[in-house]
Amino acid sequence: MRDDTTALIDRVHALIDAPLDGTPGERASIEYTLTEGYAVALALEAERRRIDEQITELTTLPRADDQRRLSELTALAQQRSRAEGEISRLRALLRTLRERLA
């Protein structure tokens, strides 16, 4: 997981765990974190789409070096799996934070 995503997830956890005091500043902080969180989720989804495109490209290339291709496909599949996990985890946390704000 990237450092910026980890830091964001830590902030979301802190906001979820903190007692609510109902102040405008608290609401603004939560809304800002939600906005930032959804922007990161969209960036992760774009990264996943780029990985999907690279996988498609590799699978449609003429057969040249199958060992190299297999190695690249394996690495891309791992990257895609990590991105998918980060997206799912982040979106679930953001849902929880949004429900808390409501």
Side-chain angles (χ1 to χ4, degrees):
M1 188 174 303
R2 296 184 321 220
D3 289 341
D4 57 336
T5 305
T6 301
L8 173 65
I9 286 174
D10 290 345
R11 281 198 321 275
V12 171
H13 275 295
L15 288 169
I16 290 170
D17 295 340
L20 291 176
D21 61 15
T23 63
E26 176 185 65
R27 182 173 185 84
S29 177
I30 291 172
E31 288 173 348
Y32 178 83
T33 303
L34 284 169
T35 301
E36 182 182 2
Y38 287 120
V40 169
L42 288 172
L44 288 168
E45 289 170 353
E47 178 181 330
R48 183 187 58 197
R49 278 192 301 280
R50 282 190 301 274
I51 292 168
D52 287 343
E53 290 169 3
Q54 289 176 308
I55 289 171
T56 299
E57 185 179 311
L58 276 173
T59 58
T60 58
L61 288 174
R63 299 182 84 119
D65 184 353
D66 284 341
Q67 186 59 39
R68 181 186 64 80
R69 185 188 317 210
L70 179 60
S71 178
E72 288 180 36
L73 284 171
T74 300
L76 287 169
Q78 290 170 345
Q79 290 173 16
R80 188 188 192 288
S81 180
R82 273 192 301 275
E84 189 66 40
E86 286 183 35
I87 293 165
S88 296
R89 182 174 177 205
L90 181 56
R91 287 212 175 263
L93 286 170
L94 293 172
R95 262 191 306 280
T96 301
L97 185 58
R98 187 181 66 235
E99 289 167 2
R100 182 157 191 194
L101 185 62

